[in-house]
Amino acid sequence: SAVISQKPSRDICQRGTSLTIQCQVDSQVTMMFWYRQQPGQSLTLIATANQGSEATYESGFVIDKFPISRPNLTFSTLTVSNMSPEDSSIYLCSALFVESYEQYFGPGTRLTVT
Amino acid sequence: TQLLEQSPQFLSIQEGENLTVYCNSSSVFSSLQWYRQEPGEGPVLLVTVVTGGEVKKLKRLTFQFGDARKDSSLHITAAQPGDTGLYLCAVRTTSGTYKYIFGTGTRLKVLA
């Protein structure tokens, strides 16, 4: 199993600014992902955070808007750039153990853009 | 594009009642997972089903994978307020990858 923490837990930001969300896993994992979730709705995969190389983005998400870093096997960051009110959402990171396909999630970062 | 439809979308029941949540698709999957998410937290994995027709039990929760591996159900017996949450099914996007897509979700509220 894994315990995942995210910082900040929530933030209110102004339009046009950027916010970096941190995700820390308590053990080394091969796969880390970033998701977006509107409150009460399902999850949408943003990208796969690859250790030591550029993230792999899903359709509709681009690196300029959501730059991702993964410097090691336990940590990743997601930046939401040049924010607009449409970026208001919950952002979740996850870690997946490839041996068991078990995926663990952080508690999420609730972002509000005004 | 794979689509996982869950039904019902919302469910509000009294404590002690039984309920079933469904996850349907037109695609065949090698496995399917169920998660529960409580407010302010991330989803928590409940179970993974792999074999067509497989039934798994987790206390009062019974999970079944369809014979054709295109659908799944989650049955809760004697629901309790602690069962309240968002239930999500999830499958790998394509075989051989580790990326998952999630179902549309079922929001359950159990009233005391």
PDB file of all heavy atoms in Angstrom, chain A residues 33 35 37 40-43 45 48 58 92 96 98 101-103 105-107, chain B residues 33 35 37 40-43 45 86 88 92 97-100 102-105 107:
ATOM      1  N   PHE A  33       0.282   9.435 -11.594  1.00  0.00           N
ATOM      2  CA  PHE A  33      -0.657  10.073 -12.510  1.00  0.00           C
ATOM      3  C   PHE A  33      -1.252  11.316 -11.862  1.00  0.00           C
ATOM      4  O   PHE A  33      -1.309  11.434 -10.638  1.00  0.00           O
ATOM      5  CB  PHE A  33      -1.807   9.111 -12.860  1.00  0.00           C
ATOM      6  CG  PHE A  33      -1.365   7.808 -13.474  1.00  0.00           C
ATOM      7  CD1 PHE A  33      -1.170   6.695 -12.679  1.00  0.00           C
ATOM      8  CD2 PHE A  33      -1.164   7.704 -14.829  1.00  0.00           C
ATOM      9  CE1 PHE A  33      -0.768   5.486 -13.236  1.00  0.00           C
ATOM     10  CE2 PHE A  33      -0.768   6.505 -15.399  1.00  0.00           C
ATOM     11  CZ  PHE A  33      -0.572   5.396 -14.594  1.00  0.00           C
ATOM     12  N   TYR A  35      -4.903  13.566 -12.072  1.00  0.00           N
ATOM     13  CA  TYR A  35      -6.291  13.569 -12.520  1.00  0.00           C
ATOM     14  C   TYR A  35      -6.944  14.901 -12.154  1.00  0.00           C
ATOM     15  O   TYR A  35      -6.512  15.595 -11.235  1.00  0.00           O
ATOM     16  CB  TYR A  35      -7.101  12.462 -11.817  1.00  0.00           C
ATOM     17  CG  TYR A  35      -6.769  11.048 -12.212  1.00  0.00           C
ATOM     18  CD1 TYR A  35      -5.717  10.372 -11.599  1.00  0.00           C
ATOM     19  CD2 TYR A  35      -7.534  10.374 -13.152  1.00  0.00           C
ATOM     20  CE1 TYR A  35      -5.432   9.049 -11.934  1.00  0.00           C
ATOM     21  CE2 TYR A  35      -7.261   9.057 -13.492  1.00  0.00           C
ATOM     22  CZ  TYR A  35      -6.214   8.407 -12.871  1.00  0.00           C
ATOM     23  OH  TYR A  35      -5.948   7.097 -13.202  1.00  0.00           O
ATOM     24  N   GLN A  37     -10.962  16.423 -11.275  1.00  0.00           N
ATOM     25  CA  GLN A  37     -12.306  15.979 -10.903  1.00  0.00           C
ATOM     26  C   GLN A  37     -13.151  17.171 -10.516  1.00  0.00           C
ATOM     27  O   GLN A  37     -12.795  17.928  -9.615  1.00  0.00           O
ATOM     28  CB  GLN A  37     -12.236  14.994  -9.730  1.00  0.00           C
ATOM     29  CG  GLN A  37     -13.581  14.450  -9.295  1.00  0.00           C
ATOM     30  CD  GLN A  37     -13.480  13.521  -8.106  1.00  0.00           C
ATOM     31  OE1 GLN A  37     -12.631  13.690  -7.231  1.00  0.00           O
ATOM     32  NE2 GLN A  37     -14.355  12.517  -8.054  1.00  0.00           N
ATOM     33  N   GLY A  40     -18.106  15.899  -7.056  1.00  0.00           N
ATOM     34  CA  GLY A  40     -19.210  14.970  -7.221  1.00  0.00           C
ATOM     35  C   GLY A  40     -19.230  14.231  -8.540  1.00  0.00           C
ATOM     36  O   GLY A  40     -20.138  13.425  -8.767  1.00  0.00           O
ATOM     37  N   GLN A  41     -18.234  14.490  -9.378  1.00  0.00           N
ATOM     38  CA  GLN A  41     -18.212  13.848 -10.687  1.00  0.00           C
ATOM     39  C   GLN A  41     -17.026  12.904 -10.807  1.00  0.00           C
ATOM     40  O   GLN A  41     -16.260  12.716  -9.873  1.00  0.00           O
ATOM     41  CB  GLN A  41     -18.183  14.907 -11.789  1.00  0.00           C
ATOM     42  CG  GLN A  41     -19.419  15.791 -11.794  1.00  0.00           C
ATOM     43  CD  GLN A  41     -19.449  16.721 -12.982  1.00  0.00           C
ATOM     44  OE1 GLN A  41     -18.802  16.492 -13.998  1.00  0.00           O
ATOM     45  NE2 GLN A  41     -20.214  17.795 -12.860  1.00  0.00           N
ATOM     46  N   SER A  42     -16.887  12.310 -11.978  1.00  0.00           N
ATOM     47  CA  SER A  42     -15.851  11.312 -12.171  1.00  0.00           C
ATOM     48  C   SER A  42     -14.480  11.955 -12.367  1.00  0.00           C
ATOM     49  O   SER A  42     -14.342  13.174 -12.370  1.00  0.00           O
ATOM     50  CB  SER A  42     -16.204  10.451 -13.388  1.00  0.00           C
ATOM     51  OG  SER A  42     -15.327   9.351 -13.473  1.00  0.00           O
ATOM     52  N   LEU A  43     -13.476  11.092 -12.519  1.00  0.00           N
ATOM     53  CA  LEU A  43     -12.102  11.553 -12.690  1.00  0.00           C
ATOM     54  C   LEU A  43     -11.715  11.550 -14.161  1.00  0.00           C
ATOM     55  O   LEU A  43     -12.078  10.637 -14.906  1.00  0.00           O
ATOM     56  CB  LEU A  43     -11.134  10.623 -11.950  1.00  0.00           C
ATOM     57  CG  LEU A  43     -10.976  10.784 -10.455  1.00  0.00           C
ATOM     58  CD1 LEU A  43     -12.238  10.402  -9.706  1.00  0.00           C
ATOM     59  CD2 LEU A  43      -9.801   9.955  -9.948  1.00  0.00           C
ATOM     60  N   LEU A  45      -8.235  11.728 -16.512  1.00  0.00           N
ATOM     61  CA  LEU A  45      -6.777  11.639 -16.481  1.00  0.00           C
ATOM     62  C   LEU A  45      -6.164  12.799 -17.246  1.00  0.00           C
ATOM     63  O   LEU A  45      -6.509  13.030 -18.405  1.00  0.00           O
ATOM     64  CB  LEU A  45      -6.328  10.305 -17.078  1.00  0.00           C
ATOM     65  CG  LEU A  45      -4.828  10.029 -17.106  1.00  0.00           C
ATOM     66  CD1 LEU A  45      -4.257   9.965 -15.694  1.00  0.00           C
ATOM     67  CD2 LEU A  45      -4.528   8.734 -17.857  1.00  0.00           C
ATOM     68  N   THR A  48       0.398  11.172 -17.376  1.00  0.00           N
ATOM     69  CA  THR A  48       1.261  10.252 -16.652  1.00  0.00           C
ATOM     70  C   THR A  48       2.558  10.976 -16.364  1.00  0.00           C
ATOM     71  O   THR A  48       3.187  11.519 -17.289  1.00  0.00           O
ATOM     72  CB  THR A  48       1.549   8.994 -17.496  1.00  0.00           C
ATOM     73  OG1 THR A  48       0.316   8.395 -17.880  1.00  0.00           O
ATOM     74  CG2 THR A  48       2.400   7.994 -16.723  1.00  0.00           C
ATOM     75  N   GLU A  58      -2.775  13.369 -21.872  1.00  0.00           N
ATOM     76  CA  GLU A  58      -3.969  12.856 -22.528  1.00  0.00           C
ATOM     77  C   GLU A  58      -4.529  13.924 -23.460  1.00  0.00           C
ATOM     78  O   GLU A  58      -4.187  15.111 -23.370  1.00  0.00           O
ATOM     79  CB  GLU A  58      -5.014  12.458 -21.480  1.00  0.00           C
ATOM     80  CG  GLU A  58      -4.547  11.342 -20.560  1.00  0.00           C
ATOM     81  CD  GLU A  58      -4.171  10.093 -21.326  1.00  0.00           C
ATOM     82  OE1 GLU A  58      -5.023   9.562 -22.083  1.00  0.00           O
ATOM     83  OE2 GLU A  58      -3.028   9.626 -21.162  1.00  0.00           O
ATOM     84  N   LEU A  92      -6.055  15.593  -8.373  1.00  0.00           N
ATOM     85  CA  LEU A  92      -5.637  14.432  -7.592  1.00  0.00           C
ATOM     86  C   LEU A  92      -4.402  13.792  -8.219  1.00  0.00           C
ATOM     87  O   LEU A  92      -4.332  13.644  -9.440  1.00  0.00           O
ATOM     88  CB  LEU A  92      -6.747  13.376  -7.561  1.00  0.00           C
ATOM     89  CG  LEU A  92      -8.046  13.768  -6.860  1.00  0.00           C
ATOM     90  CD1 LEU A  92      -9.236  13.270  -7.623  1.00  0.00           C
ATOM     91  CD2 LEU A  92      -8.061  13.202  -5.454  1.00  0.00           C
ATOM     92  N   LEU A  96       0.601   4.072  -8.727  1.00  0.00           N
ATOM     93  CA  LEU A  96       0.146   2.726  -9.089  1.00  0.00           C
ATOM     94  C   LEU A  96       1.308   1.750  -9.002  1.00  0.00           C
ATOM     95  O   LEU A  96       2.394   2.000  -9.523  1.00  0.00           O
ATOM     96  CB  LEU A  96      -0.441   2.723 -10.508  1.00  0.00           C
ATOM     97  CG  LEU A  96      -1.052   1.403 -10.987  1.00  0.00           C
ATOM     98  CD1 LEU A  96      -2.286   1.668 -11.830  1.00  0.00           C
ATOM     99  CD2 LEU A  96      -0.039   0.588 -11.791  1.00  0.00           C
ATOM    100  N   VAL A  98       2.761  -1.508 -10.275  1.00  0.00           N
ATOM    101  CA  VAL A  98       2.583  -2.286 -11.504  1.00  0.00           C
ATOM    102  C   VAL A  98       2.448  -3.782 -11.220  1.00  0.00           C
ATOM    103  O   VAL A  98       1.869  -4.517 -12.007  1.00  0.00           O
ATOM    104  CB  VAL A  98       3.731  -2.021 -12.490  1.00  0.00           C
ATOM    105  CG1 VAL A  98       3.755  -0.546 -12.877  1.00  0.00           C
ATOM    106  CG2 VAL A  98       5.075  -2.438 -11.915  1.00  0.00           C
ATOM    107  N   TYR A 101      -1.375  -3.739  -9.927  1.00  0.00           N
ATOM    108  CA  TYR A 101      -2.303  -2.781 -10.541  1.00  0.00           C
ATOM    109  C   TYR A 101      -3.129  -2.038  -9.494  1.00  0.00           C
ATOM    110  O   TYR A 101      -4.183  -1.501  -9.811  1.00  0.00           O
ATOM    111  CB  TYR A 101      -3.243  -3.480 -11.537  1.00  0.00           C
ATOM    112  CG  TYR A 101      -2.537  -3.940 -12.791  1.00  0.00           C
ATOM    113  CD1 TYR A 101      -2.119  -5.252 -12.930  1.00  0.00           C
ATOM    114  CD2 TYR A 101      -2.278  -3.045 -13.820  1.00  0.00           C
ATOM    115  CE1 TYR A 101      -1.459  -5.678 -14.074  1.00  0.00           C
ATOM    116  CE2 TYR A 101      -1.622  -3.460 -14.966  1.00  0.00           C
ATOM    117  CZ  TYR A 101      -1.219  -4.772 -15.090  1.00  0.00           C
ATOM    118  OH  TYR A 101      -0.559  -5.191 -16.218  1.00  0.00           O
ATOM    119  N   GLU A 102      -2.669  -1.999  -8.260  1.00  0.00           N
ATOM    120  CA  GLU A 102      -3.371  -1.246  -7.234  1.00  0.00           C
ATOM    121  C   GLU A 102      -2.966   0.217  -7.323  1.00  0.00           C
ATOM    122  O   GLU A 102      -1.780   0.540  -7.358  1.00  0.00           O
ATOM    123  CB  GLU A 102      -3.051  -1.819  -5.851  1.00  0.00           C
ATOM    124  CG  GLU A 102      -3.638  -3.196  -5.630  1.00  0.00           C
ATOM    125  CD  GLU A 102      -3.403  -3.711  -4.230  1.00  0.00           C
ATOM    126  OE1 GLU A 102      -2.670  -3.045  -3.477  1.00  0.00           O
ATOM    127  OE2 GLU A 102      -3.952  -4.771  -3.901  1.00  0.00           O
ATOM    128  N   GLN A 103      -3.969   1.078  -7.333  1.00  0.00           N
ATOM    129  CA  GLN A 103      -3.745   2.506  -7.473  1.00  0.00           C
ATOM    130  C   GLN A 103      -4.207   3.206  -6.211  1.00  0.00           C
ATOM    131  O   GLN A 103      -5.298   2.944  -5.706  1.00  0.00           O
ATOM    132  CB  GLN A 103      -4.501   3.036  -8.701  1.00  0.00           C
ATOM    133  CG  GLN A 103      -4.245   4.499  -9.018  1.00  0.00           C
ATOM    134  CD  GLN A 103      -4.757   4.926 -10.388  1.00  0.00           C
ATOM    135  OE1 GLN A 103      -4.309   5.891 -10.960  1.00  0.00           O
ATOM    136  NE2 GLN A 103      -5.712   4.194 -10.945  1.00  0.00           N
ATOM    137  N   PHE A 105      -4.612   7.026  -4.185  1.00  0.00           N
ATOM    138  CA  PHE A 105      -4.814   8.435  -4.487  1.00  0.00           C
ATOM    139  C   PHE A 105      -4.467   9.324  -3.301  1.00  0.00           C
ATOM    140  O   PHE A 105      -4.639   8.942  -2.141  1.00  0.00           O
ATOM    141  CB  PHE A 105      -6.276   8.690  -4.860  1.00  0.00           C
ATOM    142  CG  PHE A 105      -6.633   8.217  -6.239  1.00  0.00           C
ATOM    143  CD1 PHE A 105      -7.002   6.910  -6.455  1.00  0.00           C
ATOM    144  CD2 PHE A 105      -6.585   9.096  -7.311  1.00  0.00           C
ATOM    145  CE1 PHE A 105      -7.327   6.466  -7.728  1.00  0.00           C
ATOM    146  CE2 PHE A 105      -6.910   8.666  -8.584  1.00  0.00           C
ATOM    147  CZ  PHE A 105      -7.285   7.354  -8.795  1.00  0.00           C
ATOM    148  N   GLY A 106      -4.011  10.523  -3.637  1.00  0.00           N
ATOM    149  CA  GLY A 106      -3.878  11.551  -2.631  1.00  0.00           C
ATOM    150  C   GLY A 106      -5.247  12.123  -2.299  1.00  0.00           C
ATOM    151  O   GLY A 106      -6.239  11.823  -2.968  1.00  0.00           O
ATOM    152  N   PRO A 107      -5.313  12.978  -1.282  1.00  0.00           N
ATOM    153  CA  PRO A 107      -6.605  13.534  -0.866  1.00  0.00           C
ATOM    154  C   PRO A 107      -7.137  14.618  -1.793  1.00  0.00           C
ATOM    155  O   PRO A 107      -8.296  15.024  -1.662  1.00  0.00           O
ATOM    156  CB  PRO A 107      -6.302  14.113   0.517  1.00  0.00           C
ATOM    157  CG  PRO A 107      -4.848  14.439   0.464  1.00  0.00           C
ATOM    158  CD  PRO A 107      -4.218  13.384  -0.405  1.00  0.00           C
TER     159      PRO A 107
ATOM    160  N   GLN B  33     -12.054  -2.430 -11.768  1.00  0.00           N
ATOM    161  CA  GLN B  33     -11.897  -2.071 -10.359  1.00  0.00           C
ATOM    162  C   GLN B  33     -13.082  -1.240  -9.885  1.00  0.00           C
ATOM    163  O   GLN B  33     -13.710  -0.524 -10.675  1.00  0.00           O
ATOM    164  CB  GLN B  33     -10.601  -1.278 -10.162  1.00  0.00           C
ATOM    165  CG  GLN B  33      -9.355  -2.071 -10.498  1.00  0.00           C
ATOM    166  CD  GLN B  33      -8.072  -1.279 -10.262  1.00  0.00           C
ATOM    167  OE1 GLN B  33      -8.067  -0.064 -10.359  1.00  0.00           O
ATOM    168  NE2 GLN B  33      -6.990  -1.981  -9.958  1.00  0.00           N
ATOM    169  N   TYR B  35     -14.021   1.625  -6.803  1.00  0.00           N
ATOM    170  CA  TYR B  35     -13.496   2.547  -5.804  1.00  0.00           C
ATOM    171  C   TYR B  35     -14.649   3.209  -5.060  1.00  0.00           C
ATOM    172  O   TYR B  35     -15.749   3.362  -5.605  1.00  0.00           O
ATOM    173  CB  TYR B  35     -12.670   3.664  -6.469  1.00  0.00           C
ATOM    174  CG  TYR B  35     -11.371   3.228  -7.090  1.00  0.00           C
ATOM    175  CD1 TYR B  35     -11.343   2.618  -8.340  1.00  0.00           C
ATOM    176  CD2 TYR B  35     -10.159   3.471  -6.445  1.00  0.00           C
ATOM    177  CE1 TYR B  35     -10.144   2.236  -8.920  1.00  0.00           C
ATOM    178  CE2 TYR B  35      -8.950   3.104  -7.022  1.00  0.00           C
ATOM    179  CZ  TYR B  35      -8.955   2.489  -8.248  1.00  0.00           C
ATOM    180  OH  TYR B  35      -7.760   2.115  -8.829  1.00  0.00           O
ATOM    181  N   GLN B  37     -15.203   6.903  -2.898  1.00  0.00           N
ATOM    182  CA  GLN B  37     -14.599   8.182  -2.560  1.00  0.00           C
ATOM    183  C   GLN B  37     -15.512   8.940  -1.612  1.00  0.00           C
ATOM    184  O   GLN B  37     -16.695   9.138  -1.904  1.00  0.00           O
ATOM    185  CB  GLN B  37     -14.360   9.018  -3.827  1.00  0.00           C
ATOM    186  CG  GLN B  37     -13.653  10.332  -3.570  1.00  0.00           C
ATOM    187  CD  GLN B  37     -13.430  11.121  -4.846  1.00  0.00           C
ATOM    188  OE1 GLN B  37     -14.123  10.932  -5.833  1.00  0.00           O
ATOM    189  NE2 GLN B  37     -12.456  12.026  -4.827  1.00  0.00           N
ATOM    190  N   GLY B  40     -13.816  15.133   0.279  1.00  0.00           N
ATOM    191  CA  GLY B  40     -12.540  15.641   0.751  1.00  0.00           C
ATOM    192  C   GLY B  40     -11.410  14.646   0.719  1.00  0.00           C
ATOM    193  O   GLY B  40     -10.307  14.948   1.192  1.00  0.00           O
ATOM    194  N   GLU B  41     -11.671  13.486   0.151  1.00  0.00           N
ATOM    195  CA  GLU B  41     -10.629  12.464   0.081  1.00  0.00           C
ATOM    196  C   GLU B  41     -10.495  11.935  -1.342  1.00  0.00           C
ATOM    197  O   GLU B  41     -11.352  12.165  -2.196  1.00  0.00           O
ATOM    198  CB  GLU B  41     -10.962  11.316   1.029  1.00  0.00           C
ATOM    199  CG  GLU B  41     -11.041  11.732   2.483  1.00  0.00           C
ATOM    200  CD  GLU B  41     -11.344  10.574   3.397  1.00  0.00           C
ATOM    201  OE1 GLU B  41     -11.311   9.419   2.944  1.00  0.00           O
ATOM    202  OE2 GLU B  41     -11.624  10.841   4.591  1.00  0.00           O
ATOM    203  N   GLY B  42      -9.401  11.211  -1.584  1.00  0.00           N
ATOM    204  CA  GLY B  42      -9.245  10.571  -2.869  1.00  0.00           C
ATOM    205  C   GLY B  42      -9.972   9.238  -2.904  1.00  0.00           C
ATOM    206  O   GLY B  42     -10.347   8.693  -1.860  1.00  0.00           O
ATOM    207  N   PRO B  43     -10.208   8.696  -4.097  1.00  0.00           N
ATOM    208  CA  PRO B  43     -10.844   7.377  -4.204  1.00  0.00           C
ATOM    209  C   PRO B  43      -9.995   6.306  -3.529  1.00  0.00           C
ATOM    210  O   PRO B  43      -8.769   6.364  -3.554  1.00  0.00           O
ATOM    211  CB  PRO B  43     -10.920   7.148  -5.715  1.00  0.00           C
ATOM    212  CG  PRO B  43     -10.823   8.494  -6.326  1.00  0.00           C
ATOM    213  CD  PRO B  43      -9.940   9.292  -5.416  1.00  0.00           C
ATOM    214  N   LEU B  45      -9.451   2.136  -3.421  1.00  0.00           N
ATOM    215  CA  LEU B  45      -9.723   0.890  -4.130  1.00  0.00           C
ATOM    216  C   LEU B  45     -10.426  -0.104  -3.219  1.00  0.00           C
ATOM    217  O   LEU B  45      -9.965  -0.391  -2.110  1.00  0.00           O
ATOM    218  CB  LEU B  45      -8.407   0.290  -4.637  1.00  0.00           C
ATOM    219  CG  LEU B  45      -8.508  -1.044  -5.377  1.00  0.00           C
ATOM    220  CD1 LEU B  45      -9.300  -0.886  -6.670  1.00  0.00           C
ATOM    221  CD2 LEU B  45      -7.102  -1.580  -5.678  1.00  0.00           C
ATOM    222  N   LEU B  86     -19.124   8.402  -3.157  1.00  0.00           N
ATOM    223  CA  LEU B  86     -19.159   8.300  -4.620  1.00  0.00           C
ATOM    224  C   LEU B  86     -18.504   6.976  -5.004  1.00  0.00           C
ATOM    225  O   LEU B  86     -17.355   6.738  -4.640  1.00  0.00           O
ATOM    226  CB  LEU B  86     -18.405   9.476  -5.245  1.00  0.00           C
ATOM    227  CG  LEU B  86     -18.311   9.502  -6.771  1.00  0.00           C
ATOM    228  CD1 LEU B  86     -19.679   9.701  -7.396  1.00  0.00           C
ATOM    229  CD2 LEU B  86     -17.352  10.612  -7.212  1.00  0.00           C
ATOM    230  N   LEU B  88     -17.116   4.503  -7.905  1.00  0.00           N
ATOM    231  CA  LEU B  88     -16.569   4.610  -9.251  1.00  0.00           C
ATOM    232  C   LEU B  88     -16.038   3.261  -9.717  1.00  0.00           C
ATOM    233  O   LEU B  88     -15.337   2.585  -8.962  1.00  0.00           O
ATOM    234  CB  LEU B  88     -15.418   5.622  -9.275  1.00  0.00           C
ATOM    235  CG  LEU B  88     -15.763   7.071  -8.956  1.00  0.00           C
ATOM    236  CD1 LEU B  88     -14.528   7.829  -8.495  1.00  0.00           C
ATOM    237  CD2 LEU B  88     -16.379   7.751 -10.166  1.00  0.00           C
ATOM    238  N   ARG B  92      -8.573  -0.349 -17.266  1.00  0.00           N
ATOM    239  CA  ARG B  92      -7.391   0.108 -17.996  1.00  0.00           C
ATOM    240  C   ARG B  92      -7.800   0.560 -19.378  1.00  0.00           C
ATOM    241  O   ARG B  92      -8.647  -0.076 -20.018  1.00  0.00           O
ATOM    242  CB  ARG B  92      -6.343  -0.998 -18.080  1.00  0.00           C
ATOM    243  CG  ARG B  92      -5.449  -1.059 -16.882  1.00  0.00           C
ATOM    244  CD  ARG B  92      -4.350  -2.038 -17.082  1.00  0.00           C
ATOM    245  NE  ARG B  92      -4.818  -3.406 -16.966  1.00  0.00           N
ATOM    246  CZ  ARG B  92      -4.153  -4.463 -17.431  1.00  0.00           C
ATOM    247  NH1 ARG B  92      -2.996  -4.303 -18.055  1.00  0.00           N
ATOM    248  NH2 ARG B  92      -4.628  -5.672 -17.275  1.00  0.00           N
ATOM    249  N   THR B  97      -1.280  -1.288 -20.802  1.00  0.00           N
ATOM    250  CA  THR B  97      -0.938   0.010 -20.235  1.00  0.00           C
ATOM    251  C   THR B  97      -1.355   0.034 -18.767  1.00  0.00           C
ATOM    252  O   THR B  97      -2.066  -0.847 -18.290  1.00  0.00           O
ATOM    253  CB  THR B  97      -1.638   1.168 -20.957  1.00  0.00           C
ATOM    254  OG1 THR B  97      -3.026   1.194 -20.579  1.00  0.00           O
ATOM    255  CG2 THR B  97      -1.533   1.015 -22.458  1.00  0.00           C
ATOM    256  N   TYR B  98      -0.920   1.056 -18.094  1.00  0.00           N
ATOM    257  CA  TYR B  98      -1.272   1.227 -16.692  1.00  0.00           C
ATOM    258  C   TYR B  98      -2.217   2.398 -16.477  1.00  0.00           C
ATOM    259  O   TYR B  98      -2.479   2.787 -15.358  1.00  0.00           O
ATOM    260  CB  TYR B  98      -0.001   1.417 -15.860  1.00  0.00           C
ATOM    261  CG  TYR B  98       0.923   0.227 -15.934  1.00  0.00           C
ATOM    262  CD1 TYR B  98       2.065   0.249 -16.722  1.00  0.00           C
ATOM    263  CD2 TYR B  98       0.637  -0.931 -15.215  1.00  0.00           C
ATOM    264  CE1 TYR B  98       2.900  -0.845 -16.797  1.00  0.00           C
ATOM    265  CE2 TYR B  98       1.472  -2.038 -15.290  1.00  0.00           C
ATOM    266  CZ  TYR B  98       2.601  -1.984 -16.081  1.00  0.00           C
ATOM    267  OH  TYR B  98       3.423  -3.072 -16.157  1.00  0.00           O
ATOM    268  N   LYS B  99      -2.733   2.976 -17.551  1.00  0.00           N
ATOM    269  CA  LYS B  99      -3.642   4.107 -17.430  1.00  0.00           C
ATOM    270  C   LYS B  99      -5.071   3.596 -17.272  1.00  0.00           C
ATOM    271  O   LYS B  99      -5.474   2.640 -17.924  1.00  0.00           O
ATOM    272  CB  LYS B  99      -3.552   4.994 -18.667  1.00  0.00           C
ATOM    273  CG  LYS B  99      -2.193   5.608 -18.874  1.00  0.00           C
ATOM    274  CD  LYS B  99      -2.218   6.665 -19.955  1.00  0.00           C
ATOM    275  CE  LYS B  99      -2.595   6.081 -21.293  1.00  0.00           C
ATOM    276  NZ  LYS B  99      -2.518   7.110 -22.367  1.00  0.00           N
ATOM    277  N   TYR B 100      -5.816   4.270 -16.408  1.00  0.00           N
ATOM    278  CA  TYR B 100      -7.194   3.876 -16.138  1.00  0.00           C
ATOM    279  C   TYR B 100      -8.161   4.975 -16.551  1.00  0.00           C
ATOM    280  O   TYR B 100      -7.869   6.162 -16.448  1.00  0.00           O
ATOM    281  CB  TYR B 100      -7.376   3.594 -14.644  1.00  0.00           C
ATOM    282  CG  TYR B 100      -6.862   2.241 -14.231  1.00  0.00           C
ATOM    283  CD1 TYR B 100      -5.502   2.021 -14.026  1.00  0.00           C
ATOM    284  CD2 TYR B 100      -7.732   1.172 -14.055  1.00  0.00           C
ATOM    285  CE1 TYR B 100      -5.029   0.777 -13.660  1.00  0.00           C
ATOM    286  CE2 TYR B 100      -7.263  -0.082 -13.688  1.00  0.00           C
ATOM    287  CZ  TYR B 100      -5.922  -0.273 -13.504  1.00  0.00           C
ATOM    288  OH  TYR B 100      -5.447  -1.513 -13.141  1.00  0.00           O
ATOM    289  N   PHE B 102     -12.213   6.113 -15.706  1.00  0.00           N
ATOM    290  CA  PHE B 102     -13.196   5.924 -14.647  1.00  0.00           C
ATOM    291  C   PHE B 102     -14.610   6.064 -15.188  1.00  0.00           C
ATOM    292  O   PHE B 102     -14.862   6.795 -16.147  1.00  0.00           O
ATOM    293  CB  PHE B 102     -12.956   6.940 -13.529  1.00  0.00           C
ATOM    294  CG  PHE B 102     -11.807   6.569 -12.651  1.00  0.00           C
ATOM    295  CD1 PHE B 102     -10.497   6.756 -13.082  1.00  0.00           C
ATOM    296  CD2 PHE B 102     -12.022   5.999 -11.406  1.00  0.00           C
ATOM    297  CE1 PHE B 102      -9.427   6.385 -12.277  1.00  0.00           C
ATOM    298  CE2 PHE B 102     -10.964   5.632 -10.603  1.00  0.00           C
ATOM    299  CZ  PHE B 102      -9.668   5.819 -11.041  1.00  0.00           C
ATOM    300  N   GLY B 103     -15.520   5.345 -14.541  1.00  0.00           N
ATOM    301  CA  GLY B 103     -16.920   5.437 -14.890  1.00  0.00           C
ATOM    302  C   GLY B 103     -17.511   6.775 -14.493  1.00  0.00           C
ATOM    303  O   GLY B 103     -16.855   7.599 -13.847  1.00  0.00           O
ATOM    304  N   THR B 104     -18.759   6.968 -14.889  1.00  0.00           N
ATOM    305  CA  THR B 104     -19.445   8.242 -14.653  1.00  0.00           C
ATOM    306  C   THR B 104     -19.794   8.471 -13.192  1.00  0.00           C
ATOM    307  O   THR B 104     -20.092   9.582 -12.809  1.00  0.00           O
ATOM    308  CB  THR B 104     -20.715   8.304 -15.504  1.00  0.00           C
ATOM    309  OG1 THR B 104     -21.465   7.095 -15.307  1.00  0.00           O
ATOM    310  CG2 THR B 104     -20.366   8.437 -16.981  1.00  0.00           C
ATOM    311  N   GLY B 105     -19.749   7.415 -12.379  1.00  0.00           N
ATOM    312  CA  GLY B 105     -19.921   7.569 -10.937  1.00  0.00           C
ATOM    313  C   GLY B 105     -21.355   7.406 -10.474  1.00  0.00           C
ATOM    314  O   GLY B 105     -22.311   7.742 -11.174  1.00  0.00           O
ATOM    315  N   ARG B 107     -23.436   8.394  -6.960  1.00  0.00           N
ATOM    316  CA  ARG B 107     -23.383   9.058  -5.655  1.00  0.00           C
ATOM    317  C   ARG B 107     -24.439   8.450  -4.758  1.00  0.00           C
ATOM    318  O   ARG B 107     -25.632   8.542  -5.055  1.00  0.00           O
ATOM    319  CB  ARG B 107     -23.624  10.556  -5.816  1.00  0.00           C
ATOM    320  CG  ARG B 107     -23.598  11.319  -4.510  1.00  0.00           C
ATOM    321  CD  ARG B 107     -23.454  12.833  -4.721  1.00  0.00           C
ATOM    322  NE  ARG B 107     -22.149  13.161  -5.250  1.00  0.00           N
ATOM    323  CZ  ARG B 107     -21.035  13.202  -4.523  1.00  0.00           C
ATOM    324  NH1 ARG B 107     -21.061  12.935  -3.241  1.00  0.00           N
ATOM    325  NH2 ARG B 107     -19.890  13.530  -5.084  1.00  0.00           N
TER     326      ARG B 107
END
